Amino acid sequence: MKFIPILLYLNKSEHNLRFKDIFTQIYANRLVIMTETPDHTYYGVWFLPEEQKKVQGYVRVTNFIIELHLTDPDGRQLTNKRHDSIDMENYPIIHGIGSYNERITLYQCSGFSGSFDVKIMLYGDQFYKPFDEQKFQILGVHVPLFDKWISAESFKRDIINTGFSITYNAPEEIECILNEEVKIHIQFECFLPTTENKNKINLHEFSLVHFVCLNKEGLALAQFFKYILHFQQLVSFLSRDGANVSAVRVYTDEKGFQQNKFLGTMVYGAIPFNKFEYSSSDHLHKFLITKNDIGTNLSSFFKKWFELANNAQHILNLVFHDYFHRGAFTENNFLNLIRVLEIYDAFKSPGTVMPEKDFKNKLDEIIAGVPEIYKKEVKEYLQYKNEFTLDHRLKRLVARTMNFHISFDYKYDSQFIIKVKNSRNYYTHYNSKRKKNVAFGDELMHLTESCRVLINYLLLKDLEVPESALVKRFEYYIESSFYSNYYL
């Protein structure tokens, strides 16, 4: 453990520290890389590859946009070639030289009359190269507050004569080889920004998450982006909170990184999928499970998460839809979670009721005895009968739960399966005769919650979280006691 003194001598009248949210909260359904501060403007000259013409202008970077505006009084065209139409101009790359002689590369640029939207931007001593040729040894990102997942005692407060002091107790560094391509290395930092106001202090507490390529040739930038996405999703899954990511930097080699881990080439880009901006007062730092729950299997936990995120984005996207875009109608939330469970079971247990060849022979035998006028109709009706039904899938999923209680009321058993199946069928294939066996109102809300717990439980079990930790978290489950920062 390393101990970093953060703050000394706060006025005694200011008993409560106020932690301001310093980064925009995001969840990435697609790649999202954010700026370190709300707004940057870079002035310089801009030009196209293999073009001699240079045009004055500036790039504006915010949490949500990157815009290039050409302001040269002698013209706002990047090329001497004539444009005979007013169609949108598209440039895969635009190069820039900043006012401090820094190199800037803009990718996937499009716009009209000297005003362009930019998808990705590299800022620093880098390389006017096509995007698919950019390779780096290390990519690092900041993830604020993730140390709370490691330890609940990051800060130590001491009362002293003139006020009190705070010491930051950084958790031990984490390192794990994820696969043959990349290892992950996580450090924990906290620093106090310069300020003259000692009554209100913003403590910048964050994790430095580094993805390190295991071969000397480096890794393509697009591949590194995939790892950022998957780590964001891990933090979001654990905390039900849009995962903070900011200050993305890349390094061409280990030497450049060791010289100063805060001076790599900055990477900016894109628009966040999730624009939730939770204030720090909403962050209760409660996680679904913590490092202590995982025990000694942390390396395996990380490996399995990245494997899951790489192979099952279709499942995670549905889970996060329930996390961040839960609707006002319980019926919709319930049906979305049933879809998650069905797809999850199909992912874990691919296959059919009987071998495809046997089913085809059986179907042909049935169709052969059907009058010609009904053959097409009967074949269409029977063609999907070899797939597992919701009943089959729920029985398989429930069998993995050890039959424990949830929410003090529900139990994963045959009655649970019947209620879920009847309710799903009623809401997707309305029939008034089924109404008496269907969950409504509060009962449907609790049934929906039980389905949410089930998919979380199953995913954590796949990550090899010990059974004892899962029972502790879920057997007497009350949703609000473990999660914060999402809309009910």
Side-chain angles (χ1 to χ4, degrees):
M1 294 283 190
K2 59 180 178 180
F3 296 86
I4 305 172
I6 294 300
L7 174 63
L8 292 175
Y9 308 123
L10 277 176
N11 190 311
K12 288 186 71 174
S13 64
E14 187 69 29
H15 292 292
N16 297 318
L17 275 179
R18 299 181 182 178
F19 294 90
K20 183 181 178 183
D21 187 17
I22 62 173
F23 293 110
T24 297
Q25 306 289 324
I26 60 172
Y27 152 68
N29 182 14
R30 58 180 180 232
L31 167 71
V32 179
I33 302 177
M34 306 300 289
T35 62
E36 189 173 18
T37 58
D39 201 332
H40 283 305
T41 301
Y42 301 102
Y43 293 87
V45 294
W46 309 90
F47 54 96
L48 298 176
E50 302 178 0
E51 289 264 356
Q52 298 299 315
K53 185 175 182 179
K54 292 182 170 60
V55 180
Q56 296 177 35
Y58 65 90
V59 164
R60 177 171 172 257
V61 181
T62 75
N63 282 334
F64 304 107
I65 59 171
I66 306 174
E67 296 176 329
L68 170 63
H69 298 281
L70 304 179
T71 59
D72 200 309
D74 296 328
R76 299 183 182 181
Q77 298 294 326
L78 288 167
T79 176
N80 290 319
K81 298 176 183 177
R82 282 193 53 142
H83 287 275
D84 296 326
S85 69
I86 59 172
D87 292 339
M88 180 180 288
E89 299 172 57
N90 292 280
Y91 299 114
I93 305 176
I94 297 177
H95 299 318
I97 299 176
S99 54
Y100 296 98
N101 206 36
E102 65 268 44
R103 295 181 179 182
I104 300 173
T105 307
L106 310 176
Y107 292 105
Q108 299 180 38
C109 311
S110 60
F112 299 91
S113 302
S115 182
F116 296 90
D117 292 325
V118 179
K119 297 299 183 185
I120 296 173
M121 168 179 161
L122 294 185
Y123 170 85
D125 296 329
Q126 293 304 338
F127 322 116
Y128 295 148
K129 291 181 180 179
F131 181 75
D132 56 2
E133 294 179 13
Q134 292 281 20
K135 288 192 174 183
F136 299 92
Q137 190 69 32
I138 298 173
L139 181 145
V141 298
H142 292 179
V143 181
L145 306 176
F146 187 60
D147 62 343
K148 294 291 190 299
W149 184 72
I150 306 297
S151 171
E153 300 178 352
S154 298
F155 288 102
K156 180 181 179 182
R157 303 185 185 190
D158 291 323
I159 304 297
I160 55 179
N161 291 333
T162 57
F164 61 86
S165 68
I166 295 179
T167 300
Y168 180 65
N169 179 13
E172 293 182 359
E173 297 180 5
I174 295 173
E175 185 167 290
C176 172
I177 295 177
L178 299 179
N179 50 44
E180 296 179 354
E181 183 177 74
V182 163
K183 70 177 180 180
I184 186 172
H185 181 223
I186 307 176
Q187 299 170 283
F188 302 93
E189 301 282 351
C190 188
F191 64 89
L192 179 66
T194 302
T195 178
E196 295 180 358
N197 185 348
K198 297 302 182 182
N199 291 323
K200 295 181 181 180
I201 301 296
N202 299 333
L203 295 178
H204 292 214
E205 173 193 356
F206 57 89
S207 307
L208 289 170
V209 182
H210 303 119
F211 299 98
V212 183
C213 180
L214 296 178
N215 67 67
K216 297 301 180 182
E217 296 179 0
L219 194 65
L221 199 53
Q223 288 296 102
F224 269 132
F225 288 168
K226 178 184 71 174
Y227 287 100
I228 295 178
L229 167 62
H230 295 169
F231 188 81
Q232 287 175 284
Q233 291 176 328
L234 172 61
V235 179
S236 290
F237 175 67
L238 292 172
S239 64
R240 292 214 169 195
D241 192 354
N244 304 333
V245 166
S246 63
V248 182
R249 296 180 174 91
V250 285
Y251 306 83
T252 54
D253 53 42
E254 188 81 22
K255 181 180 177 181
F257 172 74
Q258 294 297 338
Q259 286 176 345
N260 194 322
K261 59 188 176 185
F262 295 104
L263 286 181
T265 295
M266 290 294 299
V267 185
Y268 303 92
I271 297 174
F273 173 78
N274 168 7
K275 298 181 182 179
F276 292 101
E277 297 184 17
Y278 304 119
S279 65
S280 59
S281 61
D282 292 329
H283 290 271
L284 302 181
H285 311 303
K286 292 186 178 181
F287 292 89
L288 183 57
I289 50 127
T290 66
K291 177 179 178 293
N292 289 336
D293 294 320
I294 296 170
T296 59
N297 295 327
L298 187 60
S299 180
S300 175
F301 177 83
F302 277 115
K303 286 181 181 179
K304 286 189 173 295
W305 173 266
F306 279 87
E307 182 180 351
L308 175 71
N310 188 54
N311 298 323
Q313 279 295 303
H314 59 303
I315 296 172
L316 293 183
N317 287 341
L318 289 172
V319 170
F320 289 127
H321 185 276
D322 179 68
Y323 275 29
F324 295 113
H325 298 282
R326 193 176 303 172
F329 300 101
T330 305
E331 291 84 352
N332 289 340
N333 301 326
F334 170 73
L335 291 175
N336 179 65
L337 285 163
I338 297 303
R339 182 170 54 159
V340 176
L341 291 169
E342 285 191 285
I343 296 173
Y344 171 81
D345 181 74
F347 173 74
K348 294 296 295 183
S349 304
T352 53
V353 176
M354 64 176 64
E356 289 287 355
K357 184 177 180 181
D358 292 346
F359 178 74
K360 183 179 182 303
N361 292 337
K362 184 175 181 179
L363 184 60
D364 290 343
E365 183 179 344
I366 294 172
I367 296 298
V370 174
E372 190 66 33
I373 190 173
Y374 300 122
K375 283 185 184 295
K376 182 179 178 181
E377 181 180 350
V378 172
K379 188 172 184 178
E380 288 177 351
Y381 176 77
L382 295 176
Q383 63 180 332
Y384 298 112
K385 291 298 182 179
N386 198 30
E387 296 182 2
F388 291 107
T389 64
L390 177 61
D391 185 65
H392 280 108
R393 298 193 184 282
L394 286 174
K395 286 177 180 176
R396 265 202 301 247
L397 297 178
V398 164
R400 301 182 64 203
T401 66
M402 297 184 64
N403 217 28
F404 62 78
H405 291 267
I406 56 167
S407 294
F408 300 100
D409 297 320
Y410 275 98
K411 188 176 183 181
Y412 292 123
D413 56 15
S414 59
Q415 293 303 310
F416 168 83
I417 292 172
I418 291 171
K419 183 66 73 171
V420 169
K421 183 177 63 175
N422 288 341
S423 299
R424 195 288 299 265
N425 291 341
Y426 175 80
Y427 288 117
T428 56
H429 303 87
Y430 174 75
N431 185 332
S432 59
K433 295 179 180 179
R434 296 173 174 166
K435 191 171 183 177
K436 62 180 180 179
N437 298 316
V438 174
F440 296 97
D442 289 344
E443 185 182 15
L444 180 60
M445 184 176 67
H446 292 308
L447 190 64
T448 301
E449 181 180 307
S450 70
C451 293
R452 185 174 296 123
V453 176
L454 180 57
I455 188 61
N456 285 327
Y457 174 92
L458 293 169
L459 289 172
L460 289 172
K461 191 165 186 175
D462 282 344
L463 299 175
E464 295 185 349
V465 176
E467 194 73 46
S468 58
L470 294 179
V471 171
K472 181 176 70 175
R473 283 289 179 259
F474 293 118
E475 187 168 17
Y476 296 108
Y477 174 88
I478 302 175
E479 189 169 32
S480 60
S481 68
F482 292 107
Y483 299 121
S484 60
N485 305 332
Y486 62 95
Y487 294 108
L488 292 172

